[in-house]
Amino acid sequence: AAAAAGYDGIGLFVGDYARLRTTDRIGELDELLAEHRMPITDIEVLQGWGTVGLDDERYAATEALAWEMADRFGCRYVQAIGPVPDDPAEAGARFAELCDRAADHGLVVGLEFLPVTNVPDIDSARAVVDSPEAALALDRDRLPARYGVLTTAVAMGPILRERLVKNGIRCDGKS
């Protein structure tokens, strides 16, 4: 269905991968991906990197599974969401650390702003993202109705010219 709709790849939630792994059904996933010639291109979602981080066993296990997915499937993108520390400098430092760890697995990290977190909009996300392995994730379904994608993209400024993540797929300024 994804290929028929014109998609080049699909995303997989870390929790779904963990369930497949626990029930020894990864082989079934491999067969489906091969049958439909559809790669897993992105990993969803890391939450907790900005607050509890690697000191929390549950978060550390989730992050380790994301890296395993990247290595196994050749994914290039992982999505991250808040919450983040209230201090923008601390939030940026933690995000940069996450990006460094992701880069070890060939991943770019996209920070998606969500109204239900303390990274609710583009301005708060821009305050966090400052790493060569980072991008902002734009989900058109979560953009305020008064803004179009173009208006939001312009608000991103230089980040857009370097890299733009749109709906979980990394774009390098190419249409």
Side-chain angles (χ1 to χ4, degrees):
Y7 290 96
D8 295 332
I10 60 171
L12 184 63
F13 179 62
V14 175
D16 291 338
Y17 176 73
R19 278 187 287 286
L20 290 170
R21 195 170 166 265
T22 302
T23 58
D24 202 26
R25 296 182 66 195
I26 294 294
E28 292 176 41
L29 175 61
D30 290 336
E31 289 173 14
L32 280 170
L33 294 170
E35 177 184 340
H36 296 284
R37 296 185 181 121
M38 183 59 55
I40 295 175
T41 55
D42 60 285
I43 302 165
E44 295 189 16
V45 61
L46 294 177
Q47 180 180 24
W49 56 270
T51 51
V52 295
L54 294 175
D55 291 335
D56 180 81
E57 281 184 37
R58 186 173 177 188
Y59 173 76
T62 299
E63 188 175 296
L65 280 174
W67 304 159
E68 180 180 311
M69 291 172 67
D71 297 340
R72 178 183 179 87
F73 298 113
C75 305
R76 299 284 302 132
Y77 171 81
V78 62
Q79 181 180 347
I81 60 174
V84 300
D86 290 332
D87 174 31
E90 183 181 353
R94 289 194 183 185
F95 190 69
E97 291 167 2
L98 174 63
C99 290
D100 288 345
R101 294 191 302 271
D104 290 342
H105 301 275
L107 291 166
V108 170
V109 182
L111 177 61
E112 182 174 3
F113 51 92
L114 295 170
V116 296
T117 71
N118 65 345
V119 186
D121 53 37
I122 237 177
D123 291 331
S124 58
R126 284 178 68 188
V128 174
V129 174
D130 185 22
S131 169
E133 291 81 27
L136 291 179
L138 291 180
D139 185 335
R140 66 175 182 202
D141 296 330
R142 292 196 177 99
L143 293 176
R146 67 184 180 274
Y147 300 124
V149 172
L150 181 58
T151 301
T152 303
V154 168
M156 290 175 68
I159 292 172
L160 175 67
R161 289 188 283 280
E162 295 176 27
R163 56 205 174 266
L164 168 66
V165 176
K166 182 181 179 209
N167 294 330
I169 303 298
R170 182 175 178 202
C171 303
D172 290 313
K174 300 173 186 166
S175 35

